[in-house]
Amino acid sequence: GLEVVTCASFSPDGSRVMTGSRDRVARVWLVSSGELIRRLEGHRSAILSASLSPRGTAALTASLDCSAKVWNPENGECLRSLDGHDLPVRFAEFSPDGLRALTTSDDRAAKLWNVDTGACMSTFSSQDWSVMSAAFSPDGGQVLIGATDGTAKLWSATTGEPLRAFTGHGEAVFSAVFSPDGSRVLSASLDRTSRIWSTATGECLCHMREHHGAVRCAAFIPDCSSIIG
């Protein structure tokens, strides 16, 4: 039987699901029937993140083997390995246009990659903090990072330069995400709160304090009218 399934995500059109497992294999399934249609094999250790590109024509995985890999989900071929992290890669996602990939690792850094060439385009890191999460803006032009120093940080995905810090949490920011229109940022923190920020100014627009423990994740409802966290 299958070992522990560590991650799962839908294809953009909702017709397929991609899963990753501790058995080092990623799998693509047909939603309508539950049929296994492809196995993606090549990692040397457990897979921690697995997703399909916005057009569904490529797949991306991240693994304890310190690499991320780009795949052809139609035939299971590994197209290239994104090598450059020194420790396990915890997360990987495609940019909205599918041309770049963003990874986070236990080596404290996030990296931006060219999917076609496998080249590392930018590294987001500091001696003063570690990366807890990373996400693309809806237009793909910016990268948002949650950090151990209690801030969320906005970077240019084009130049790799820092743009803004969202400062106010008292402890590490586990998760930071954009609203669907990109105008706001939502952060979740070890300090037991979530905050909503203006992307343009860095101003804190709302401070939510109802949790009794660390807030590890938060998300906007698609119409931006409310959040889950």
Side-chain angles (χ1 to χ4, degrees), residues 22-41:
R22 282 189 358 195
D23 66 3
R24 303 175 293 177
V25 179
R27 294 168 171 83
V28 182
W29 312 78
L30 199 59
V31 170
S32 59
S33 64
E35 176 189 359
L36 174 63
I37 56 177
R38 193 65 58 213
R39 291 168 56 97
L40 311 178
E41 302 184 59

Side-chain angles (χ1 to χ4, degrees), residues 6-7 9 18-22 24-26 40 42-52 59-71 80-83 85 87-94 101-106 111 113:
T6 55
C7 53
S9 62
M18 187 174 175
T19 59
S21 171
R22 282 189 358 195
R24 303 175 293 177
V25 179
L40 311 178
H43 277 295
R44 302 185 307 279
S45 191
I47 293 171
L48 303 180
S49 176
S51 60
L52 290 157
L60 181 64
T61 55
S63 170
L64 285 176
D65 67 10
C66 305
S67 76
K69 294 184 185 295
V70 181
W71 310 80
R80 58 198 53 85
S81 186
L82 308 180
D83 299 313
H85 283 293
L87 290 171
V89 181
R90 295 281 172 182
F91 174 76
E93 74 167 0
F94 283 105
L102 185 62
T103 57
T104 65
S105 168
D106 288 350
K111 290 181 181 289
W113 308 82

Side-chain angles (χ1 to χ4, degrees), residues 92-117:
E93 74 167 0
F94 283 105
S95 60
D97 61 10
L99 300 179
R100 293 160 296 162
L102 185 62
T103 57
T104 65
S105 168
D106 288 350
D107 65 8
R108 300 167 52 100
K111 290 181 181 289
L112 182 66
W113 308 82
N114 182 307
V115 169
D116 288 336
T117 66

